[in-house]
Amino acid sequence: MLFVKKKIHELQAEAAGHHGLKRTLGPVNLTALGIGAIIGAGLFSITGGAAANNAGPAVTISFVIAAIACAFAGLCYAEFASMIPVAGSAYTYSYATMGEFVAWIIGWDLVLEYAVGAATVSISWSAYLVKIFAKAGVQIPMEWAISPFQEAVVNGQAVHGIMNLPAVLIVVLMSLLLIRGTQESALVNGFIVGLKVAVVLVFIALGWGYINPSNYVPYIPENTGVFGEYGWSGILRAAGVIFFAYIGFDAVSTAAQEAKDPKKDMPIGILASLVICTVLYILFAHVMTGMANYTEFKGHDGIAPVAVAIEHTPYEWLKQAIMIAILAGYSSVIMVMLMGQSRVFFSMSQDGLLPKVFHEVHSKFGTPWKSNLLFCVFVSLFAAFVPGSVVGEMTSIGTLFAFSLVCAGIIVLRKTQPDLPRAFKTPFVPLVPILGIICCLAMMISLPGDTWLRLVIWLALGFLIYFGYSARNSVLRKRSDAGTL
């Protein structure tokens, strides 16, 4: 009963019953969707910390390693999406292919990815807001802009944090917008995506002239004797940390139902967006570590590295313009992540794995407002009291774990349901999924031990909830027991 599965034909009928989405997206649309989803907080916030603490200027190599792992996982996502062409996530795919228990693990893991990811972005949003206000002559008290486990130097004196209030405020604001059902129009969403790409291109173009070649020496700093602190082990650990920057490419796979030709367009959309973003990321990291020595990012916890690099240019307008643009981009990322994790809870609640309160829809706004409120509180607590570097690593390990399960799922499916119609087939199975699993596990292993401990604790909490509540209330299990499955 642990591995009771949803029927794929029932999922497809369910989608048809809701008047399935029109297939209007071509490869260009899907590529744009991927780029818009990928470029976000990870690039602007985590890159500096990865360079300062792990890889040095060789953080560019880390971006390549992370991209390769994403490509393998992306091909596996594409097969899932084309085989079960409904708007959904890895939770829905796994429920239909690997059973309820694995679906629970992925669903619970996705909650960690989205919720903690939103906290990471909000912490970075707070850091940039402080800098913008400081440039305008307004000083936000640093004790109210960092976590209790951090300290900052202000006017030569150490200031200990109380809580990160700006991070809490942006989480609350985005949650209230989601509860009211406010959605970005295609025009506004396209503008924000364009703004984020423009920020990267402007930074690369103008920053290139201020590169100091001496900042690249040594390109791979010598290992300190501790695994993960520079050297090749540092490059691998940095790849695990900055994997956060690639979160979002799976958004392409969830659009399979809207693709004109999933068999051809899905892999193009996924891989083209990954290639374009990887090139932009490498150039961005190259320019950033060339403008400022990687050691300069240490004192900033890596959360506002772009602002540090921009200090080496005379463009005052560029500093403000880029930071304001980053704030706008961050706001949309926070909202998408908050929406994503509340929708995962919504689906799990509909399946009986969580209390029905989480799929109750507001009578006026038509949104799962109680689920939004829960995560508003949960994410706010993370944002207020946990350092940004810690939550960033938690997001990466959660995502890598989910990607590993998705890759494993393709191998299982080829064995258990080889005749199932597939609009797109992952090439070279089982080689590609195995390489995806190896890459993801290698980056997971390279992450700090305390990050693993947090993942184990999160999963243990999930198992307690599953066996204590979900297994007894599963809609699918009740149907199975009643013989109506």
Side-chain angles (χ1 to χ4, degrees):
M1 292 302 292
L2 275 177
F3 301 101
V4 61
K5 300 173 184 176
K6 282 189 174 184
K7 303 293 185 185
I8 291 179
H9 66 83
E10 288 183 1
L11 280 172
Q12 293 171 336
E14 182 183 325
H18 284 83
H19 309 291
L21 300 169
K22 292 181 180 178
R23 295 191 178 277
T24 58
L25 299 178
V28 175
N29 304 111
L30 291 167
T31 301
L33 176 65
I35 294 171
I38 294 170
I39 294 180
L43 177 64
F44 298 122
S45 62
I46 304 296
T47 311
N53 303 316
N54 307 116
V59 70
T60 50
I61 301 175
S62 302
F63 272 115
V64 174
I65 294 172
I68 291 171
C70 279
F72 292 138
L75 287 168
C76 295
Y77 259 96
E79 178 166 328
F80 266 127
S82 64
M83 183 178 54
I84 312 173
V86 294
S89 67
Y91 166 75
T92 306
Y93 305 153
S94 58
Y95 212 149
T97 56
M98 290 182 283
E100 183 177 277
F101 186 61
V102 177
W104 168 267
I105 292 174
I106 291 184
W108 189 247
D109 193 61
L110 286 172
V111 171
L112 176 70
E113 173 190 337
Y114 288 128
V116 180
T120 306
V121 185
S122 65
I123 292 168
S124 188
W125 188 93
S126 172
Y128 279 103
L129 185 72
V130 169
K131 282 190 171 288
I132 288 175
F133 272 89
K135 289 290 183 183
V138 179
Q139 296 296 329
I140 296 177
M142 282 305 297
E143 60 266 28
W144 291 103
I146 55 176
S147 85
F149 302 99
Q150 292 175 291
E151 64 176 38
V153 177
V154 180
N155 297 325
Q157 294 186 331
V159 176
H160 292 276
I162 299 174
M163 67 178 291
N164 196 330
L165 193 57
V168 172
L169 291 176
I170 188 63
V171 169
V172 171
L173 179 61
M174 292 299 104
S175 297
L176 291 176
L177 284 173
L178 286 171
I179 289 171
R180 282 193 57 88
T182 303
Q183 296 186 8
E184 297 165 303
S185 67
L187 179 64
V188 174
N189 189 52
F191 172 75
I192 292 179
V193 169
L195 194 61
K196 286 191 282 191
V197 175
V199 165
V200 175
L201 292 174
V202 169
F203 178 81
I204 292 169
L206 295 181
W208 199 275
Y210 294 90
I211 289 177
N212 182 355
S214 64
N215 288 330
Y216 296 130
V217 182
Y219 189 68
I220 303 178
E222 187 177 350
N223 183 263
T224 61
V226 178
F227 183 90
E229 291 185 8
Y230 312 117
W232 280 101
S233 67
I235 290 172
L236 189 60
R237 174 165 291 182
V241 172
I242 62 168
F243 195 82
F244 178 75
Y246 285 100
I247 292 175
F249 82 88
D250 49 318
V252 179
S253 68
T254 63
Q257 193 178 355
E258 298 157 275
K260 292 177 182 177
D261 184 357
K263 185 176 181 179
K264 182 185 72 174
D265 297 345
M266 291 303 297
I268 292 176
I270 290 172
L271 297 178
S273 60
L274 275 174
V275 168
I276 292 169
C277 288
T278 299
V279 172
L280 289 176
Y281 280 9
I282 291 170
L283 291 173
F284 184 93
H286 179 74
V287 170
M288 193 181 75
T289 53
M291 292 169 67
N293 191 279
Y294 69 93
T295 56
E296 292 183 46
F297 303 122
K298 277 185 178 288
H300 296 265
D301 232 15
I303 293 299
V306 178
V308 175
I310 292 173
E311 293 293 335
H312 292 268
T313 74
Y315 303 120
E316 286 297 325
W317 63 268
L318 178 63
K319 298 174 186 177
Q320 290 297 87
I322 286 184
M323 285 193 280
I324 290 172
I326 289 172
L327 280 185
Y330 275 7
S331 299
S332 68
V333 172
I334 293 168
M335 187 160 68
V336 170
M337 286 188 167
L338 287 171
M339 182 180 70
Q341 44 78 17
S342 68
R343 296 315 187 266
V344 171
F345 249 41
F346 180 81
S347 297
M348 295 171 79
S349 175
Q350 279 190 315
D351 293 330
L353 304 185
L354 290 171
K356 63 180 182 180
V357 67
F358 294 118
H359 73 266
E360 289 181 7
V361 175
H362 196 284
S363 58
K364 181 180 179 182
F365 303 131
T367 56
W369 65 286
K370 291 182 180 178
S371 187
N372 286 130
L373 281 178
L374 168 76
F375 281 103
C376 177
V377 174
F378 180 64
V379 175
S380 292
L381 289 173
F382 260 93
F385 301 112
V386 182
S389 57
V390 172
V391 288
E393 289 169 358
M394 286 178 67
T395 306
S396 289
I397 197 168
T399 308
L400 288 164
F401 182 60
F403 284 3
S404 299
L405 289 178
V406 169
C407 290
I410 292 298
I411 299 174
V412 172
L413 272 177
R414 291 294 182 91
K415 291 291 184 182
T416 59
Q417 301 183 57
D419 299 325
L420 203 65
R422 293 165 168 84
F424 169 76
K425 283 190 174 184
T426 303
F428 308 113
V429 173
L431 180 61
V432 166
I434 289 173
L435 289 174
I437 293 170
I438 291 172
C439 288
C440 290
L441 289 179
M443 286 188 283
M444 287 176 71
I445 291 169
S446 72
L447 289 169
D450 54 356
T451 303
W452 274 89
L453 179 62
R454 295 183 196 107
L455 176 65
V456 170
I457 292 172
W458 178 256
L459 289 177
L461 176 61
F463 292 154
L464 286 175
I465 295 172
Y466 179 77
F467 290 108
Y469 177 88
S470 307
R472 292 186 289 108
N473 292 276
S474 166
V475 172
L476 210 57
R477 281 196 179 206
K478 289 179 179 178
R479 286 177 57 197
S480 179
D481 292 341
T484 58
L485 190 61

